[in-house]
Amino acid sequence: FEEWELKDRFALHMKEYATTYLGLESPPFLPLTYVLHNTHEKKKFLDLLNEKDGMDSAYVLKKGFVNAGEGVSFHGPHSESLYEIKEQLEATKRSEYEKPTNFYVVQEHLCAMKQNNTKMDTRMFWMVASVNPLVVLFHRGFIRMSGEEYKDNDFGNSDIHLTNAAKGGIRKHIELLDVDKHLGEHPDLLEQRIPKGVSPKDHVMNQMKSALGHFVRAFYNTSFSASSIDGFGSENGWIFAAADFMIDQDLDVWFIEPQFGPDHNIEESLGLETMYLSMINIVEEVHERQSEGKYVLPLSSIGEWEVVYSEEDDYVFEYDFDRTSVEKSGCLPSNHDLN
């Protein structure tokens, strides 16, 4: 699963998929991302900095093979550290950022939605309930909030940006995701960006499910088909994993990265006990149904899991929402965010 666990490979695969199947340079839900050990990607990033007012933006630099907030740094517009990265990439000698063994990626810093004036993102869960045929399910997870109050234009203090528990982040029940209050601060968003008949929270979740469906399509041949899994025999298999998403101030959802083997040490207050129980029941039911020669779906034990991909009936969750049709608001000052 290193084809999607490593940040650089995740980005490159998703871009290749977007070019081949969507006719786009990058998926609309992937933050602007450049893989620095890739010569073509490095040149595009330098072109952005040199020719397209790229220095006016902030960026996040990530080392590709570490998690829990390690190897992540933040670089503000026209900051000394951003100029230093640019100079190293332009130098003749290969920099640390360009070594393939470091897997560095750089992403444009997103204007995340705030909650209680702290930066937040979400961790959602997904499982491969069956490899052959491939069936992938989605489950709502929890909110992750940074441990310190957000301050505009402070990129030197990573603690106000990182939401990982290892960095002091706080986990909250997903029902506390208060998009309605955010809309109260910015009522124009409801009319301009949310399709009619869709609740604000469903609008956010639908984007996540759609992004996950595209992700499975993108990595089908390398990670999810039975033929791509080493040692896969006649028995079926299953996978439990996570996906981290960020919601920006326009309620657009961004797929930050998938996570294989997420932390299972989760507080009872997050209300995920039934998720784990139903996951076990699902695996057992899939085995029983296939032993009896039945289709995998529908599952009576599915609980709150939702199907986002099914090879049985050629189904992929789709959400009819074009985020590019409406101009984005840009980064709003923190005193205008959710308080």
PDB file of all heavy atoms in Angstrom, residues 1 49 69 83 103 119 148 154 165 167 169 183 189 191-192 204 209 226 289 300 324:
ATOM      1  N   PHE A   1       0.809  -1.219   0.000  1.00  0.00           N
ATOM      2  CA  PHE A   1       0.000   0.000   0.000  1.00  0.00           C
ATOM      3  C   PHE A   1       0.842   1.269   0.000  1.00  0.00           C
ATOM      4  O   PHE A   1       0.311   2.357   0.180  1.00  0.00           O
ATOM      5  CB  PHE A   1      -0.954  -0.010   1.198  1.00  0.00           C
ATOM      6  CG  PHE A   1      -1.787  -1.250   1.257  1.00  0.00           C
ATOM      7  CD1 PHE A   1      -1.552  -2.241   2.190  1.00  0.00           C
ATOM      8  CD2 PHE A   1      -2.797  -1.441   0.335  1.00  0.00           C
ATOM      9  CE1 PHE A   1      -2.311  -3.395   2.221  1.00  0.00           C
ATOM     10  CE2 PHE A   1      -3.558  -2.587   0.352  1.00  0.00           C
ATOM     11  CZ  PHE A   1      -3.317  -3.572   1.293  1.00  0.00           C
ATOM     12  N   LEU A  49       6.577  30.144  -8.444  1.00  0.00           N
ATOM     13  CA  LEU A  49       7.182  31.120  -7.538  1.00  0.00           C
ATOM     14  C   LEU A  49       7.762  32.309  -8.295  1.00  0.00           C
ATOM     15  O   LEU A  49       7.701  33.448  -7.824  1.00  0.00           O
ATOM     16  CB  LEU A  49       8.286  30.451  -6.717  1.00  0.00           C
ATOM     17  CG  LEU A  49       7.844  29.355  -5.734  1.00  0.00           C
ATOM     18  CD1 LEU A  49       9.057  28.816  -4.983  1.00  0.00           C
ATOM     19  CD2 LEU A  49       6.803  29.864  -4.754  1.00  0.00           C
ATOM     20  N   GLY A  69       2.320  14.359  12.149  1.00  0.00           N
ATOM     21  CA  GLY A  69       2.756  15.751  12.163  1.00  0.00           C
ATOM     22  C   GLY A  69       4.251  15.946  12.063  1.00  0.00           C
ATOM     23  O   GLY A  69       4.725  17.090  12.054  1.00  0.00           O
ATOM     24  N   TYR A  83      11.918  31.785   0.614  1.00  0.00           N
ATOM     25  CA  TYR A  83      12.999  32.166  -0.303  1.00  0.00           C
ATOM     26  C   TYR A  83      14.161  31.175  -0.215  1.00  0.00           C
ATOM     27  O   TYR A  83      14.811  30.863  -1.224  1.00  0.00           O
ATOM     28  CB  TYR A  83      13.487  33.578   0.011  1.00  0.00           C
ATOM     29  CG  TYR A  83      12.634  34.662  -0.596  1.00  0.00           C
ATOM     30  CD1 TYR A  83      11.787  35.449   0.196  1.00  0.00           C
ATOM     31  CD2 TYR A  83      12.654  34.903  -1.968  1.00  0.00           C
ATOM     32  CE1 TYR A  83      10.999  36.445  -0.353  1.00  0.00           C
ATOM     33  CE2 TYR A  83      11.866  35.895  -2.539  1.00  0.00           C
ATOM     34  CZ  TYR A  83      11.035  36.655  -1.720  1.00  0.00           C
ATOM     35  OH  TYR A  83      10.243  37.635  -2.277  1.00  0.00           O
ATOM     36  N   PHE A 103      11.240  11.948  -0.398  1.00  0.00           N
ATOM     37  CA  PHE A 103       9.834  11.994  -0.839  1.00  0.00           C
ATOM     38  C   PHE A 103       9.140  13.324  -0.530  1.00  0.00           C
ATOM     39  O   PHE A 103       7.941  13.354  -0.228  1.00  0.00           O
ATOM     40  CB  PHE A 103       9.022  10.863  -0.189  1.00  0.00           C
ATOM     41  CG  PHE A 103       9.661   9.508  -0.240  1.00  0.00           C
ATOM     42  CD1 PHE A 103      10.268   8.972   0.892  1.00  0.00           C
ATOM     43  CD2 PHE A 103       9.666   8.762  -1.403  1.00  0.00           C
ATOM     44  CE1 PHE A 103      10.853   7.716   0.862  1.00  0.00           C
ATOM     45  CE2 PHE A 103      10.256   7.497  -1.445  1.00  0.00           C
ATOM     46  CZ  PHE A 103      10.855   6.981  -0.314  1.00  0.00           C
ATOM     47  N   LYS A 119      -7.762  25.974  14.129  1.00  0.00           N
ATOM     48  CA  LYS A 119      -7.744  25.297  12.844  1.00  0.00           C
ATOM     49  C   LYS A 119      -8.233  23.864  13.017  1.00  0.00           C
ATOM     50  O   LYS A 119      -7.975  23.224  14.046  1.00  0.00           O
ATOM     51  CB  LYS A 119      -6.319  25.298  12.288  1.00  0.00           C
ATOM     52  CG  LYS A 119      -6.212  24.965  10.806  1.00  0.00           C
ATOM     53  CD  LYS A 119      -4.802  25.226  10.331  1.00  0.00           C
ATOM     54  CE  LYS A 119      -4.667  24.934   8.844  1.00  0.00           C
ATOM     55  NZ  LYS A 119      -3.273  25.208   8.392  1.00  0.00           N
ATOM     56  N   GLU A 148      -3.890  25.032  19.803  1.00  0.00           N
ATOM     57  CA  GLU A 148      -3.698  26.449  20.093  1.00  0.00           C
ATOM     58  C   GLU A 148      -4.579  27.309  19.200  1.00  0.00           C
ATOM     59  O   GLU A 148      -4.888  26.940  18.069  1.00  0.00           O
ATOM     60  CB  GLU A 148      -2.229  26.844  19.904  1.00  0.00           C
ATOM     61  CG  GLU A 148      -1.276  26.197  20.890  1.00  0.00           C
ATOM     62  CD  GLU A 148       0.104  26.828  20.848  1.00  0.00           C
ATOM     63  OE1 GLU A 148       0.218  27.967  20.330  1.00  0.00           O
ATOM     64  OE2 GLU A 148       1.060  26.196  21.317  1.00  0.00           O
ATOM     65  N   ASP A 154       0.700  33.645  11.057  1.00  0.00           N
ATOM     66  CA  ASP A 154       1.724  33.060  11.922  1.00  0.00           C
ATOM     67  C   ASP A 154       2.056  31.672  11.387  1.00  0.00           C
ATOM     68  O   ASP A 154       1.335  30.704  11.625  1.00  0.00           O
ATOM     69  CB  ASP A 154       1.226  32.968  13.361  1.00  0.00           C
ATOM     70  CG  ASP A 154       2.298  32.453  14.322  1.00  0.00           C
ATOM     71  OD1 ASP A 154       3.367  32.035  13.838  1.00  0.00           O
ATOM     72  OD2 ASP A 154       2.059  32.473  15.542  1.00  0.00           O
ATOM     73  N   ALA A 165      -2.907  14.374  17.206  1.00  0.00           N
ATOM     74  CA  ALA A 165      -2.916  14.193  18.660  1.00  0.00           C
ATOM     75  C   ALA A 165      -1.503  14.243  19.226  1.00  0.00           C
ATOM     76  O   ALA A 165      -1.282  14.753  20.326  1.00  0.00           O
ATOM     77  CB  ALA A 165      -3.580  12.862  19.008  1.00  0.00           C
ATOM     78  N   LYS A 167       0.759  16.130  18.366  1.00  0.00           N
ATOM     79  CA  LYS A 167       1.195  17.532  18.411  1.00  0.00           C
ATOM     80  C   LYS A 167       0.252  18.389  19.256  1.00  0.00           C
ATOM     81  O   LYS A 167       0.198  19.606  19.097  1.00  0.00           O
ATOM     82  CB  LYS A 167       1.273  18.090  16.985  1.00  0.00           C
ATOM     83  CG  LYS A 167       2.294  17.383  16.099  1.00  0.00           C
ATOM     84  CD  LYS A 167       3.707  17.590  16.607  1.00  0.00           C
ATOM     85  CE  LYS A 167       4.733  16.941  15.694  1.00  0.00           C
ATOM     86  NZ  LYS A 167       6.112  17.132  16.191  1.00  0.00           N
ATOM     87  N   GLY A 169      -3.080  18.112  19.323  1.00  0.00           N
ATOM     88  CA  GLY A 169      -4.399  18.284  18.735  1.00  0.00           C
ATOM     89  C   GLY A 169      -5.493  17.652  19.579  1.00  0.00           C
ATOM     90  O   GLY A 169      -5.253  16.758  20.398  1.00  0.00           O
ATOM     91  N   LEU A 183     -22.013  28.903   8.246  1.00  0.00           N
ATOM     92  CA  LEU A 183     -22.879  29.534   7.244  1.00  0.00           C
ATOM     93  C   LEU A 183     -23.576  30.763   7.808  1.00  0.00           C
ATOM     94  O   LEU A 183     -23.874  31.706   7.074  1.00  0.00           O
ATOM     95  CB  LEU A 183     -23.914  28.529   6.736  1.00  0.00           C
ATOM     96  CG  LEU A 183     -23.358  27.448   5.810  1.00  0.00           C
ATOM     97  CD1 LEU A 183     -24.412  26.387   5.557  1.00  0.00           C
ATOM     98  CD2 LEU A 183     -22.910  28.057   4.493  1.00  0.00           C
ATOM     99  N   LEU A 189     -22.636  31.700   1.186  1.00  0.00           N
ATOM    100  CA  LEU A 189     -22.120  30.396   0.775  1.00  0.00           C
ATOM    101  C   LEU A 189     -23.245  29.424   0.458  1.00  0.00           C
ATOM    102  O   LEU A 189     -23.137  28.603  -0.455  1.00  0.00           O
ATOM    103  CB  LEU A 189     -21.231  29.801   1.865  1.00  0.00           C
ATOM    104  CG  LEU A 189     -19.904  30.496   2.149  1.00  0.00           C
ATOM    105  CD1 LEU A 189     -19.171  29.768   3.268  1.00  0.00           C
ATOM    106  CD2 LEU A 189     -19.044  30.533   0.898  1.00  0.00           C
ATOM    107  N   GLU A 191     -26.228  29.891  -0.792  1.00  0.00           N
ATOM    108  CA  GLU A 191     -26.852  30.114  -2.094  1.00  0.00           C
ATOM    109  C   GLU A 191     -25.872  29.873  -3.236  1.00  0.00           C
ATOM    110  O   GLU A 191     -26.236  29.318  -4.269  1.00  0.00           O
ATOM    111  CB  GLU A 191     -27.392  31.548  -2.169  1.00  0.00           C
ATOM    112  CG  GLU A 191     -28.094  31.865  -3.479  1.00  0.00           C
ATOM    113  CD  GLU A 191     -28.697  33.260  -3.491  1.00  0.00           C
ATOM    114  OE1 GLU A 191     -28.779  33.880  -2.405  1.00  0.00           O
ATOM    115  OE2 GLU A 191     -29.082  33.722  -4.569  1.00  0.00           O
ATOM    116  N   GLN A 192     -24.601  30.254  -3.053  1.00  0.00           N
ATOM    117  CA  GLN A 192     -23.643  30.200  -4.145  1.00  0.00           C
ATOM    118  C   GLN A 192     -23.000  28.829  -4.339  1.00  0.00           C
ATOM    119  O   GLN A 192     -22.705  28.439  -5.473  1.00  0.00           O
ATOM    120  CB  GLN A 192     -22.544  31.245  -3.914  1.00  0.00           C
ATOM    121  CG  GLN A 192     -23.019  32.683  -3.975  1.00  0.00           C
ATOM    122  CD  GLN A 192     -21.878  33.665  -3.745  1.00  0.00           C
ATOM    123  OE1 GLN A 192     -20.725  33.288  -3.693  1.00  0.00           O
ATOM    124  NE2 GLN A 192     -22.218  34.929  -3.597  1.00  0.00           N
ATOM    125  N   VAL A 204     -20.716  18.588   2.672  1.00  0.00           N
ATOM    126  CA  VAL A 204     -19.325  18.316   3.040  1.00  0.00           C
ATOM    127  C   VAL A 204     -19.026  16.822   2.928  1.00  0.00           C
ATOM    128  O   VAL A 204     -18.021  16.416   2.336  1.00  0.00           O
ATOM    129  CB  VAL A 204     -19.048  18.834   4.466  1.00  0.00           C
ATOM    130  CG1 VAL A 204     -17.723  18.293   4.994  1.00  0.00           C
ATOM    131  CG2 VAL A 204     -19.040  20.358   4.483  1.00  0.00           C
ATOM    132  N   LYS A 209     -16.940  11.526   0.202  1.00  0.00           N
ATOM    133  CA  LYS A 209     -17.246  10.224  -0.382  1.00  0.00           C
ATOM    134  C   LYS A 209     -16.888  10.192  -1.863  1.00  0.00           C
ATOM    135  O   LYS A 209     -16.366   9.184  -2.366  1.00  0.00           O
ATOM    136  CB  LYS A 209     -18.725   9.892  -0.167  1.00  0.00           C
ATOM    137  CG  LYS A 209     -19.068   9.616   1.300  1.00  0.00           C
ATOM    138  CD  LYS A 209     -20.501   9.152   1.477  1.00  0.00           C
ATOM    139  CE  LYS A 209     -21.481  10.272   1.320  1.00  0.00           C
ATOM    140  NZ  LYS A 209     -22.875   9.840   1.611  1.00  0.00           N
ATOM    141  N   ALA A 226      -7.490  -7.661  -7.073  1.00  0.00           N
ATOM    142  CA  ALA A 226      -6.951  -8.891  -6.490  1.00  0.00           C
ATOM    143  C   ALA A 226      -5.576  -9.216  -7.067  1.00  0.00           C
ATOM    144  O   ALA A 226      -4.689  -9.688  -6.357  1.00  0.00           O
ATOM    145  CB  ALA A 226      -7.920 -10.042  -6.743  1.00  0.00           C
ATOM    146  N   ARG A 289     -21.718 -14.852   2.903  1.00  0.00           N
ATOM    147  CA  ARG A 289     -22.447 -14.677   1.651  1.00  0.00           C
ATOM    148  C   ARG A 289     -21.686 -15.313   0.493  1.00  0.00           C
ATOM    149  O   ARG A 289     -22.280 -15.968  -0.372  1.00  0.00           O
ATOM    150  CB  ARG A 289     -22.710 -13.197   1.382  1.00  0.00           C
ATOM    151  CG  ARG A 289     -23.683 -12.543   2.365  1.00  0.00           C
ATOM    152  CD  ARG A 289     -23.866 -11.059   2.069  1.00  0.00           C
ATOM    153  NE  ARG A 289     -24.587 -10.856   0.823  1.00  0.00           N
ATOM    154  CZ  ARG A 289     -25.915 -10.812   0.711  1.00  0.00           C
ATOM    155  NH1 ARG A 289     -26.674 -10.967   1.794  1.00  0.00           N
ATOM    156  NH2 ARG A 289     -26.486 -10.622  -0.456  1.00  0.00           N
ATOM    157  N   SER A 300     -26.604  -6.694   5.331  1.00  0.00           N
ATOM    158  CA  SER A 300     -27.543  -6.399   6.418  1.00  0.00           C
ATOM    159  C   SER A 300     -26.830  -5.817   7.630  1.00  0.00           C
ATOM    160  O   SER A 300     -27.451  -5.163   8.468  1.00  0.00           O
ATOM    161  CB  SER A 300     -28.284  -7.681   6.826  1.00  0.00           C
ATOM    162  OG  SER A 300     -27.370  -8.667   7.307  1.00  0.00           O
ATOM    163  N   THR A 324     -15.571  24.635  -9.212  1.00  0.00           N
ATOM    164  CA  THR A 324     -14.888  25.657 -10.017  1.00  0.00           C
ATOM    165  C   THR A 324     -15.850  26.674 -10.611  1.00  0.00           C
ATOM    166  O   THR A 324     -15.415  27.670 -11.191  1.00  0.00           O
ATOM    167  CB  THR A 324     -14.105  24.994 -11.156  1.00  0.00           C
ATOM    168  OG1 THR A 324     -15.026  24.324 -12.055  1.00  0.00           O
ATOM    169  CG2 THR A 324     -13.111  23.982 -10.619  1.00  0.00           C
TER     170      THR A 324
END
